[in-house]
């Protein structure tokens, strides 16, 4: 809550910062433990190739002529931690918490391409900072939730695809919004696999030059705007199921932390604020309120899991969040007659005044929600 | 993972001398003997012109009689909470943020250097900028008094404005439970202030509409050059000056016995978005333009006179000339303090400038100020052919925040008040 933050003195902030550092960084860190990374236009020298597990610090210096990007990567090129835009002649300290395993440090001069790589082996099992077991449970439960949502989505997407392949326009329209619920509930995780989202959930205006338009919104346009199902649509329906199965398989491997959960919850509200409130998301089907509700549910799930810890750290914040979630859900309920069904009013029937009211309620929730990550990190 | 920045919250105020002459102008011009005495220095207008800070505390809110800045961001809000305590808490948070921003400081813990996991308290776009004479002025609209059991405290002078002939009000630019007028010499500073207050207010209030303004069209410092409106005419020649203590007392500040005690030292604000038919005006002959106003375009002299500040001979003007109709002598002495700004919101889709005058007027009683004046103008003014009132709001502007323990609206909301 802002009211709280505003009255915190400067001294208290320093104390809070120290607490955060102590909690995520190893307490016995010495400067000598840091890996020196010297980046240049065609090299990436590292002072060590092996470090013990725990907090790893990269002291980066860009001696090249171009801005560079330095990353610590998993073997599958997923990013553990990164810093973009390190200018020529500048230094940056990058820290990450890593478990034992094989990694790479990549320098990308000019911030593109494969870059110059160095191996990094992380050994041992100890020295990973102790985390609150309640937070570990929250992460584990959230991971399970994300998996459940993906598992539930695949059959719903198959129903949608089946109707399209049967050329059954009405059945396909009916199956469209439900097939998106699980995805929309866990969207920040789905989006963390950068290659799936562009295939499944891109809107017409989000396409890059030369990108083939696939996924839900392409089919949405076929059903509601073009009012036709052709051979291409049938192929795309199958493709959507395939891409969602890919997501279902990988969702368990997503990197999730308590703060990424909290910020993910906020990002779901951002999705609502920028795409759904405006009616841009489902511009042909006007099922935006279904996505809207799913986004809120997903945000609320992440929040509820983090609440035991957040409540201890900032009771005023959780009281406010409870109130605002209730407020927004109550408002959303006005747009459906059955509170258990996802049968919402078509968004083109929602007036400008009503959209403003929804937007105000989203802002009222998203603003305190933006404080959740720092609160659980305390 | 980000590097921790240890810099303390930056202070725009540090860029200028504080406690010196810079803030004294605002204080003294506010007409408050208290404020002037507190600053303890002679007025030095040049320091304020250079982007200094205007004293936030005083008997009256800054932003009314203090020298008019170049830029405006005005925002009207709807209240979203029914919880009076929560609303009061927000007013206190707002006051603290306003106190900081008008002094050139960042909100809360600043724009950087805080927790990496949380968005910063301040949005940061005003870092490194001077205070730019930022003033923040709060007002309470009639609809606010329908909430929080305040009905019995609504001042009689805070009337709902009547429908005037020719009004074409856009509901989405009209009304509001409360308003903030942010004036500054730098538009970024004014926008920053509204943006950060809106953020603090989310959940408690929501912006209903807002207006950006530039090129002040009225001056409260008569020795300065009178600014021109978008019709090209000097505007505000006979406006009340911030130094005219007697006229301010007579026409602007709510006095003892004027109504509820909580408004004493405050004022009433009328805001009107007045769209100008720019293209048709520009096709109008110079003679007609000058006849419409009753002053010449170059010097600004009243009809038949040589200099801008010569006393107008009203009967020499056309009966429907704007200046003749608006002049106090034609209205039994009615005088308001104008603080308007030009605006343009680009073009309107038909290629016409969406532009005009964002009219802001302060007065001791709306019933004796704007309303009779506008009744007369809306019925007879030759200018009506070229303008249309499209937005409207009225607010009770409470007295100033006295000191660092005081807050916006205390006289209205506190139990003992």
């Amino acid at each position: 809550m802002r009211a709280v933050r505003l009255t915190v003195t400067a001294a208290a902030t320093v104390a809070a910062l120290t607490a955060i550092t102590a909690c995520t960084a190893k307490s016995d860190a010495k400067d000598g433990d840091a890996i020196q990374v010297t980046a240049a236009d065609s090299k990436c020298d590292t002072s060590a190739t092996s470090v013990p597990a725990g907090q790893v610090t990269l002291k980066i210096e860009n001696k090249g002529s171009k801005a560079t990007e330095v990353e610590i990567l998993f073997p599958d090129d997923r990013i553990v931690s990164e810093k973009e835009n390190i200018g020529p002649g500048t230094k940056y300290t990058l820290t990450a918490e890593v478990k034992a395993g094989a990694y790479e440090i990549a320098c990308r001069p000019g911030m593109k391409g494969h870059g110059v790589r160095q191996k990094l082996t992380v050994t041992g099992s100890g020295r990973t900072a102790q985390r609150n077991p309640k937070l570990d449970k929250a992460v584990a439960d959230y991971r399970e939730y994300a998996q459940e949502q993906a598992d539930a989505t695949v059959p719903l997407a198959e129903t949608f695809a089946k109707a399209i392949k049967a050329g059954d326009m009405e059945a396909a329209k009916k199956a469209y919004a439900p097939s998106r619920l699980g995805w929309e509930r866990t969207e920040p995780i789905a989006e963390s696999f950068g290659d799936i989202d562009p295939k499944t959930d891109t809107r017409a205006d989000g396409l890059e030059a030369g990108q083939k338009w696939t996924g839900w919104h392409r089919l949405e346009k076929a059903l509601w705007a073009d009012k036709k199902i052709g051979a291409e649509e049938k192929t795309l329906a199958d493709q959507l199921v395939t891409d969602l199965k890919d997501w279902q398989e990988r969702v368990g491997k997503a990197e999730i932390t308590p703060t990424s959960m909290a910020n993910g919850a906020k990002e779901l509200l951002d999705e609502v604020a920028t795409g759904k409130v405006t009616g841009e998301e489902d511009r042909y089907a006007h099922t935006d309120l279904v996505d809207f509700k799913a986004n809120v549910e997903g945000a609320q799930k992440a929040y509820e899991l983090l609440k035991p810890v957040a409540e201890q750290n900032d009771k005023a914040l959780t009281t406010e969040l409870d109130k605002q979630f209730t407020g927004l859900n109550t408002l959303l309920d006005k747009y459906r007659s059955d509170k258990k069904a996802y049968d919402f009013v078509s968004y083109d029937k929602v007036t400008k005044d009503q959209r403003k009211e929804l937007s105000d309620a989203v802002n009222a929730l998203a603003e305190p929600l933006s404080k959740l990550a720092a609160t659980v990190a305390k | 993972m980000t590097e921790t920045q240890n810099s303390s919250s930056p202070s725009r105020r540090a860029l200028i001398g504080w406690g010196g002459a810079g803030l004294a102008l605002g204080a003294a011009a506010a007409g408050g003997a208290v404020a002037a005495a507190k600053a303890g220095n002679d007025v030095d207008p040049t320091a304020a012109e250079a982007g200094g800070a205007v004293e936030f505390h005083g008997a009256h809110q800054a932003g009314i009689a203090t020298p008019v800045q170049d830029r405006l961001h005005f925002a009207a809000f709807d209240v979203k909470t029914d919880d009076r305590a929560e609303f009061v808490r927000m007013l206190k948070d707002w006051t603290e943020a306003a106190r900081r921003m008008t002094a050139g400081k960042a909100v809360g813990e600043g724009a950087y250097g805080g927790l990496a996991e949380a968005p910063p308290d301040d949005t940061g776009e005003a870092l490194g900028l001077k205070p730019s004479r930022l003033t923040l002025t709060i007002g309470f609209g009639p609809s606010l008094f329908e909430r929080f059991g305040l009905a019995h405290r609504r001042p009689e002078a805070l009337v709902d404005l009547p429908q005037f002939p020719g009004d074409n009000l856009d509901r989405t630019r009209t009304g509001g439970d409360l308003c903030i007028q942010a004036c500054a010499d730098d538009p970024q500073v004014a926008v920053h202030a509204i943006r950060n207050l809106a953020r603090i207010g989310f959940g408690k209030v929501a912006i209903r509409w807002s207006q950006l303004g530039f090129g002040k069209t009225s001056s409260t410092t008569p020795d300065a050059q009178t600014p021109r409106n978008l019709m090209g005419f000097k505007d505000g020649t006979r406006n009340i000056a911030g130094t005219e203590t007697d006229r301010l007392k007579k026409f602007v500040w709510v006095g003892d016995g004027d109504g509820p005690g909580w408004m004493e030292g405050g004022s009433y604000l009328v805001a009107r978005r007045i769209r100008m038919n720019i293209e048709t005006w520009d096709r109008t002959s110079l003679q007609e333009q000058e006849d419409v106003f009753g002053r010449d375009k170059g010097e600004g002299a009243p009809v038949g006179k040589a200099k801008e500040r010569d006393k107008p001979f009203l009967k020499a003007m056309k009966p429907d000339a704007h200046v003749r109709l608006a002049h106090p002598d034609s209205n039994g002495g009615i005088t308001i303090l104008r603080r308007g700004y030009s605006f343009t919101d680009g073009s309107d889709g038909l290629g016409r400038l969406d532009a005009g005058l964002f009219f802001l007027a302060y007065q001791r009683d709306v019933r004796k100020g704007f309303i009779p004046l506008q009744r007369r103008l809306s019925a007879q003014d030759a200018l009506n052919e070229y303008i249309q009132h499209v937005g409207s709001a009225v607010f009770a502007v409470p007295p100033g925040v006295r000191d660092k323990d005081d807050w916006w609206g205390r006289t209205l909301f506190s139990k003992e008040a």
Side-chain angles (χ1 to χ4, degrees):
Chain A
M1 271 313 297
R2 302 198 60 83
V4 176
R5 297 292 306 277
L6 284 168
T7 54
V8 173
T9 63
T13 311
V14 174
L17 275 172
T18 315
I20 281 264
T21 315
C23 170
T24 53
K26 58 187 177 182
S27 54
D28 58 346
K30 290 187 287 290
D31 202 40
D33 292 350
I35 301 173
Q36 309 290 327
V37 178
T38 309
D41 290 350
S42 59
K43 65 173 192 171
C44 187
D45 293 341
T46 56
S47 65
T49 54
S50 175
V51 288
Q55 187 83 12
V56 170
T57 303
L58 303 188
K59 295 242 176 212
I60 304 157
E61 183 169 9
N62 182 4
K63 291 190 172 173
S65 64
K66 299 178 213 166
T68 193
E69 178 179 335
V70 174
E71 296 163 338
I72 303 173
L73 298 166
F74 285 110
D76 63 356
D77 270 8
R78 265 181 305 137
I79 295 164
V80 179
S81 189
E82 66 174 334
K83 173 64 187 173
E84 296 179 1
N85 238 331
I86 304 171
T90 61
K91 296 179 181 183
Y92 187 81
T93 302
L94 178 70
T95 57
E97 198 163 298
V98 286
K99 295 182 183 127
Y103 297 84
E104 280 187 334
I105 292 172
C107 304
R108 295 188 206 267
M111 297 192 289
K112 55 189 177 196
H114 182 74
V116 187
R117 308 283 183 103
Q118 298 292 349
K119 297 277 179 218
L120 178 68
T121 308
V122 179
T123 57
S125 59
R127 306 223 299 161
T128 303
Q130 202 66 34
R131 200 160 74 184
N132 184 339
K134 282 185 188 165
L135 289 177
D136 283 338
K137 178 166 168 30
V139 169
D141 288 352
Y142 188 65
R143 188 183 297 284
E144 194 178 322
Y145 173 74
Q147 187 67 58
E148 282 168 8
Q149 294 305 314
D151 292 348
T153 295
V154 168
L156 292 169
E158 282 169 340
T159 305
F160 178 52
K162 205 171 138 191
I164 288 178
K165 287 197 289 182
D168 188 340
M169 187 82 79
E170 283 317 301
K173 282 183 173 179
K174 211 165 154 246
Y176 169 76
S179 74
R180 294 174 49 74
L181 281 168
W183 175 275
E184 290 290 322
R185 285 186 187 120
T186 58
E187 201 163 350
I189 293 192
E191 284 180 349
S192 75
F193 307 108
D195 55 334
I196 302 180
D197 183 74
K199 289 192 270 186
T200 55
D201 200 26
T202 297
R203 303 196 293 264
D205 43 308
L207 293 169
E208 287 177 29
Q211 184 188 341
K212 183 174 156 59
W213 189 16
T214 61
W216 273 302
H217 296 300
R218 165 68 181 78
L219 294 166
E220 180 202 354
K221 180 168 180 283
L223 295 173
W224 274 274
D226 306 339
K227 302 184 188 348
K228 77 172 187 70
I229 298 173
E232 193 186 353
E233 282 74 23
K234 292 177 183 178
T235 313
L236 287 174
D238 277 337
Q239 182 63 44
L240 177 63
V241 173
T242 306
D243 291 335
L244 291 173
K245 280 183 175 166
D246 181 25
W247 163 54
Q248 181 192 18
E249 261 175 45
R250 286 158 69 185
V251 71
K253 295 181 205 144
E255 286 296 305
I256 304 173
T257 64
T259 50
S260 78
M261 271 172 73
N263 281 327
K266 183 207 66 114
E267 283 161 26
L268 282 165
L269 269 293
D270 295 344
E271 288 275 334
V272 175
T274 53
K276 277 78 174 185
V277 158
T278 55
E280 285 167 74
E281 178 80 28
D282 298 296
R283 64 189 65 167
Y284 315 108
H286 307 302
T287 53
D288 304 86
L289 285 174
V290 183
D291 287 12
F292 189 143
K293 179 67 182 175
N295 285 156
V296 173
E297 284 177 341
Q300 193 160 6
K301 179 71 183 183
Y303 162 63
E304 297 287 353
L305 291 173
L306 293 168
K307 192 176 161 187
V309 175
E311 200 164 32
Q312 277 176 356
N313 294 344
D314 188 348
K315 177 80 172 122
L317 179 68
T318 53
T319 304
E320 178 69 13
L321 286 171
D322 287 340
K323 183 179 138 192
Q324 298 301 344
F325 268 116
T326 305
L328 185 54
N329 281 318
T330 307
L331 188 58
L332 278 171
D333 282 343
K334 288 188 189 170
Y335 296 91
R336 57 177 176 179
S337 44
D338 178 353
K339 284 177 192 164
K340 292 207 171 57
Y342 289 87
D343 200 4
F344 283 88
V345 169
S346 178
Y347 206 60
D348 56 347
K349 302 283 190 296
V350 177
T351 67
K352 211 173 155 190
D353 281 355
Q354 289 173 321
R355 291 178 186 205
K356 168 84 164 68
E357 191 183 25
L358 286 163
S359 175
D360 288 345
V362 169
N363 281 333
L365 171 59
E367 186 67 21
L369 199 54
S370 73
K371 308 279 191 281
L372 182 62
T375 304
V376 297
K378 265 180 196 165
Chain B
M1 304 260 172
T2 323
E3 264 188 328
T4 305
Q5 289 166 313
N6 288 320
S7 328
S8 57
S9 297
S11 162
R12 281 189 282 129
R13 193 185 70 181
L15 295 170
I16 56 130
W18 177 250
L23 64 123
L25 179 91
V34 181
K38 196 161 55 187
N41 277 304
D42 292 335
V43 170
D44 176 2
T46 54
E49 288 298 337
V54 177
E55 173 66 67
F56 178 69
H57 301 124
H60 313 292
Q61 291 195 69
I64 302 173
T66 43
V68 180
Q69 304 89 324
D70 294 333
R71 304 292 188 136
L72 169 81
H73 190 182
F74 186 93
F77 296 81
D78 289 327
V79 172
K80 306 298 285 188
T81 179
D82 295 323
D83 182 341
R84 177 178 169 136
E86 183 179 52
F87 184 69
V88 165
R89 213 155 48 235
M90 185 206 75
L91 289 175
K92 290 178 179 173
D93 289 346
W94 266 14
T95 309
E96 181 55 28
R99 192 179 274 130
R100 290 185 65 87
M101 290 191 287
T102 53
K105 295 182 189 173
V107 174
E109 303 298 327
Y112 61 94
L115 299 178
E117 292 83 355
D121 283 349
D122 187 283
T123 53
E125 72 274 27
L127 293 179
L129 300 178
K130 293 177 180 179
S132 307
R133 296 195 294 156
L134 173 69
T135 55
L136 293 167
T137 315
I138 196 169
F140 301 131
S143 49
L144 182 75
F145 296 86
E146 292 161 18
R147 297 172 165 273
F148 308 126
L150 291 172
H152 65 292
R153 310 207 70 179
R154 175 173 170 174
E156 278 184 26
L158 185 66
V159 291
D160 296 301
L161 296 182
Q163 165 88 34
F164 297 103
D167 276 7
N168 183 19
L169 301 184
D170 173 355
R171 212 174 41 79
T172 63
R173 297 185 191 277
T174 294
D177 292 330
L178 64 160
C179 74
I180 299 283
Q181 171 196 284
C183 299
D185 291 327
D186 184 331
Q188 183 127 332
V189 169
V191 170
H192 168 263
I194 293 295
R195 175 177 168 189
N196 282 271
L197 293 179
R199 225 182 137 195
I200 293 170
F202 278 139
K204 280 78 77 179
V205 294
I207 288 192
R208 179 181 173 87
W209 54 271
S210 82
Q211 182 67 54
L212 295 171
F214 62 93
K216 61 188 177 195
T217 61
S218 306
S219 171
T220 51
T221 41
D223 45 338
Q225 184 186 317
T226 306
R228 290 177 187 268
N229 60 28
L230 289 182
M231 288 175 158
F233 279 77
K234 289 184 180 176
D235 203 342
T237 298
R238 278 278 296 155
N239 204 18
I240 303 177
T243 46
E244 292 180 284
T245 315
D246 291 345
R247 283 177 90 203
L248 286 170
K249 196 173 166 198
K250 188 171 176 192
F251 297 114
V252 178
W253 306 129
V254 175
D256 185 11
D258 278 353
W262 71 266
M263 269 299 287
E264 200 181 324
S267 189
Y268 295 94
L269 167 64
V270 170
R272 304 277 286 184
R273 188 177 192 268
I274 305 174
R275 173 92 189 258
M276 291 173 178
N277 302 327
I278 298 278
E279 291 78 9
T280 50
W281 174 258
D282 292 347
R283 289 194 280 269
T284 302
S285 72
L286 177 62
Q287 186 62 54
E288 175 163 352
Q289 290 187 3
E290 295 187 336
D291 284 350
V292 162
F293 273 95
R295 288 181 179 271
D296 77 57
K297 201 166 186 176
E299 164 64 23
V303 173
K305 300 290 175 116
K307 290 287 171 194
E308 180 192 348
R309 291 181 201 286
D310 288 348
K311 187 172 166 45
F313 179 57
L314 298 177
K315 286 186 178 152
M317 299 175 185
K318 301 246 172 176
D320 58 0
H322 179 71
V323 167
R324 179 170 178 172
L325 291 168
H327 197 277
D329 291 353
S330 307
N331 295 284
I334 291 174
T335 304
I336 53 177
L337 185 153
R338 279 164 297 147
R339 222 177 188 280
Y341 286 83
S342 291
F343 73 84
T344 175
D345 292 330
S347 43
D348 66 359
L350 296 176
R352 308 178 301 188
L353 269 188
D354 181 1
L357 170 66
F358 191 68
F359 173 93
L360 294 167
Y362 287 90
Q363 58 248 286
R364 188 170 168 182
D365 189 331
V366 177
R367 297 166 300 180
K368 296 172 187 162
F370 178 77
I371 292 176
L373 209 53
Q374 183 56 22
R375 278 228 162 90
R376 191 177 181 85
L377 290 173
S378 63
Q380 301 175 41
D381 193 352
L383 199 51
N384 290 337
E385 193 175 330
Y386 302 99
I387 62 173
Q388 190 165 56
H389 289 236
V390 294
S392 177
V394 58
F395 301 95
V397 176
V401 174
R402 292 173 313 184
D403 53 37
K404 65 177 177 49
D405 298 319
D406 198 7
W407 44 278
W408 267 338
R410 177 191 51 85
T411 58
L412 173 60
F413 283 95
S414 76
K415 293 276 182 282
E416 69 271 19

